[in-house]
Amino acid sequence: MVSHYRLKVGFAPTISELERYKQLSAECKEAGKNKNFMEAERINDKIQTLVKTAQREVPVPYGFWYYGDSISEKEQRILDDEAVKLFYKRMGVAHLYELYKEGIY
C-alpha cells in the first residue's frame, strides 16, 4: 500500500488532454522518423503548449508498506505497481498512472 504522498504542481492532464498528448507524441515521432523535422517541431510546439496549459496538482506517492511473508524484489515491484495504480484511482486520477508510472511523459 502507499503510505505517504505529496502534492506537486505539474503536468496533470484530464483524460481527453492525455489522449491528445499521446496522439501528438505519436505524430511527432512519426514526423521525425520520416525526417520531416519542420513538422516535428510544429507538433512539438503543440505538445509544449498542451503541457503548459495542463498544469495542476499531481499526487506523488513515495512511501510503501507491505504486510506479509518475505517476498522477492520482483514481487515487491509488482505489489508497488499495484499499490500505485490503486492510489491514483482513489485520488480520482487513474489515468495519471499511465503518464507517470509507465513513463510516457
Side-chain angles (χ1 to χ4, degrees):
M1 72 179 216
V2 173
S3 61
H4 294 86
Y5 72 95
R6 65 184 172 84
L7 294 174
K8 73 171 189 169
V9 173
F11 183 44
T14 63
I15 293 171
S16 62
E17 289 168 334
L18 179 57
E19 290 304 315
R20 179 73 175 140
Y21 175 84
K22 290 190 300 187
Q23 176 189 4
L24 288 170
S25 295
E27 290 174 8
C28 188
K29 184 177 180 178
E30 185 66 23
K33 181 179 169 184
N34 294 331
K35 299 185 192 251
N36 189 345
F37 301 117
M38 290 183 68
E39 179 67 5
E41 186 175 328
R42 185 186 69 74
I43 296 168
N44 190 54
D45 288 344
K46 286 185 177 186
I47 292 170
Q48 295 309 311
T49 298
L50 175 60
V51 169
K52 286 178 187 175
T53 60
Q55 296 292 305
R56 299 177 184 92
E57 283 190 336
V58 178
V60 180
Y62 64 88
F64 299 89
W65 284 90
Y66 168 75
Y67 298 98
D69 296 331
S70 293
I71 57 175
S72 71
E73 286 185 34
K74 182 180 178 182
E75 291 170 316
Q76 184 65 49
R77 282 191 302 275
I78 290 168
L79 290 175
D80 288 353
D81 286 347
E82 289 175 13
V84 172
K85 277 184 189 178
L86 185 57
F87 167 78
Y88 280 125
K89 183 177 179 180
R90 287 184 177 162
M91 296 296 287
V93 288
H95 62 287
L96 293 184
Y97 175 85
E98 178 183 11
L99 187 68
Y100 286 106
K101 187 65 178 164
E102 294 182 3
I104 66 168
Y105 173 66

